[in-house]
Amino acid sequence: MPTSKSTKPFAPAPFKPPFWLTNPHLQSILPKFFAPKTPNYRRVIKQDSLCETDIAYDFYDAHPVQDSENGKLEQTPLIVLFHGMEGSSDSHYARALAYQMHAQGWHFVVAHFRSCGGIPANGKVFYNAGDTGEVHHMLENLHENYAHIYGVGVSLGGNALAKYMGEYGNEALCDGAAVISAPVDMSSAAITMHSFLSHRIYTPYLLNPIIKKALANEITADEIASIKAVKRISDFDNIFTAPRHGYRSNNDYYHSSSALPHLRNVTRPLLLISAKDDPFIGFTATPNDVSDSVTILDTAHGGHIGYLRYRTSNSNVKTPSKNSKFDINWIPETVSAYFNHIGVPSNKTR
């Protein structure tokens, strides 16, 4: 397990957008328009933990990797991303993280959850934000070739990763992790999503794709009728997600799947990044909710997986994104700085 290179607390560069870019909805919506191009991923397909559905692993290699032989594992660190609802290796944050991790000389991979990454779910279960068994299975697959693995979780994928780090403790296969914009208390996040603006702006964007996927699956006529009538994500979770994954109701699903009660049991380094103006996530963790292994980084602004910056004309920052003064690199830079802080060896390529 890595230890910090310094006894000083982690102190990254602050996120300070100009006043006209502090609106949380602008921060949440605009970043996808300023993402760098999609990297040239190397895709590997493996089965999920139930041996029912194919799962895509999209790698952006720091250098060619050979399959392990005679127990010899790849020593260059691997950063694995667990994406949010309806996310993938093509998400704006995945692209930005891929380039930043690659620039540090680290391998990068997006481990897709069921039904994501362009591969439909063939089994009964779909996306479950509390399925730490599936997270562990993904990490076991990766650990067959990589000796040093570090996790990054975003939104609901961040909740799953944070819950995993608490539940598995010293048995976690991540030597450290960073979590961004995670709804670690899913009940309060559901209530937040019921607010007028969040419901009007974000619910159709998130709900329509998961309804489409559900309808494409083998479901009963009653399920079809109920799903078509859904207007809120919490209703979909009550009708589809909860019963499909063995929960009594959406309330049971949210309570059982939330990372917050498990954060006091985390034993590996874990960074929690969240914006106080996030329109999605509800209650966030406080220092009294977490173990000494957890670092909480709350920012005043940033929205949900936003953190869009505006560079001045004399900035020397270079990114692989389109020629623009806007960039979404604060999250990747902060995550890589945290991994450096806890002792992950870096071999910067630029």
Side-chain angles (χ1 to χ4, degrees):
M1 179 171 60
T3 57
S4 173
K5 291 180 179 178
S6 171
T7 57
K8 296 180 180 179
F10 177 58
F15 176 68
K16 293 183 178 180
F19 74 92
W20 48 268
L21 197 55
T22 57
N23 181 282
H25 301 295
L26 290 179
Q27 282 287 333
S28 302
I29 294 170
L30 292 181
K32 68 179 182 179
F33 298 107
F34 299 100
K37 66 180 181 179
T38 303
N40 185 21
Y41 291 115
R42 172 176 61 89
R43 173 159 285 197
V44 174
I45 305 295
K46 295 194 175 185
Q47 286 265 284
D48 71 345
S49 58
L50 301 177
C51 296
E52 293 180 346
T53 295
D54 285 342
I55 299 297
Y57 296 79
D58 285 350
F59 291 84
Y60 189 38
D61 302 315
H63 54 76
V65 178
Q66 302 294 326
D67 289 337
S68 60
E69 297 180 359
N70 301 320
K72 186 177 181 180
L73 301 179
E74 168 66 26
Q75 295 299 306
T76 298
L78 172 70
I79 313 300
V80 53
L81 171 65
F82 297 96
H83 60 79
M85 179 185 289
E86 291 307 299
S88 72
S89 59
D90 195 44
S91 296
H92 69 272
Y93 53 83
R95 299 189 218 174
L97 282 162
Y99 285 109
Q100 178 68 28
M101 301 305 113
H102 192 268
Q104 294 286 317
W106 301 329
H107 299 300
F108 179 78
V109 62
V110 180
H112 290 90
F113 290 103
R114 298 181 186 96
S115 80
C116 299
I119 299 179
N122 294 323
K124 181 180 178 180
V125 298
F126 277 62
Y127 189 99
N128 178 351
D131 191 355
T132 52
E134 180 69 8
V135 171
H136 190 66
H137 173 74
M138 291 174 171
L139 292 169
E140 285 181 321
N141 282 337
L142 296 169
H143 199 54
E144 291 176 359
N145 293 99
Y146 297 87
H148 309 291
I149 300 175
Y150 298 84
V152 180
V154 172
S155 193
L156 284 178
N159 174 79
L161 177 59
K163 182 171 180 272
Y164 170 79
M165 297 296 285
E167 281 188 342
Y168 280 73
N170 287 330
E171 301 303 315
L173 295 178
C174 284
D175 292 336
V179 165
I180 303 101
S181 300
V184 294
D185 181 76
M186 292 180 59
S187 295
S188 64
I191 294 173
T192 300
M193 285 296 292
H194 290 171
S195 68
F196 179 79
L197 279 178
S198 291
H199 178 68
R200 291 287 184 179
I201 297 173
Y202 306 112
T203 296
Y205 173 76
L206 293 171
L207 187 58
N208 291 341
I210 60 175
I211 287 178
K212 184 178 180 180
K213 288 180 180 179
L215 293 175
N217 201 249
E218 294 184 6
I219 57 178
T220 67
D222 288 341
E223 282 181 311
I224 292 174
S226 298
I227 289 171
K228 285 185 175 180
V230 161
K231 301 297 183 184
R232 303 186 301 186
I233 292 175
S234 60
D235 295 333
F236 178 86
D237 286 336
N238 195 48
I239 292 168
F240 189 83
T241 307
R244 283 264 168 163
H245 296 89
Y247 301 104
R248 297 189 301 274
S249 66
N250 58 341
N251 293 326
D252 184 34
Y253 169 51
Y254 298 151
H255 174 75
S256 301
S257 299
S258 294
L260 189 60
H262 303 277
L263 296 177
R264 64 175 66 94
N265 300 319
V266 173
T267 60
R268 303 285 177 85
L270 172 63
L271 174 67
L272 299 177
I273 302 174
S274 58
K276 294 179 180 179
D277 64 356
D278 191 316
F280 280 65
I281 63 175
F283 295 145
T284 56
T286 71
N288 290 332
D289 296 318
V290 304
S291 73
D292 291 340
S293 297
V294 179
T295 299
I296 296 174
L297 178 56
D298 289 331
T299 62
H301 305 290
H304 188 70
I305 331 173
Y307 295 96
L308 179 65
R309 296 186 300 198
Y310 182 79
R311 302 193 303 271
T312 59
S313 58
N314 62 352
S315 172
N316 292 321
V317 176
K318 295 181 179 179
T319 73
S321 62
K322 62 185 70 175
N323 185 20
S324 170
K325 291 184 179 181
F326 293 93
D327 80 69
I328 56 173
N329 290 327
W330 185 84
I331 287 176
E333 290 169 5
T334 302
V335 169
S336 64
Y338 178 71
F339 287 156
N340 285 149
H341 177 78
I342 64 174
V344 184
S346 176
N347 182 21
K348 295 184 179 181
T349 58
R350 62 178 174 89

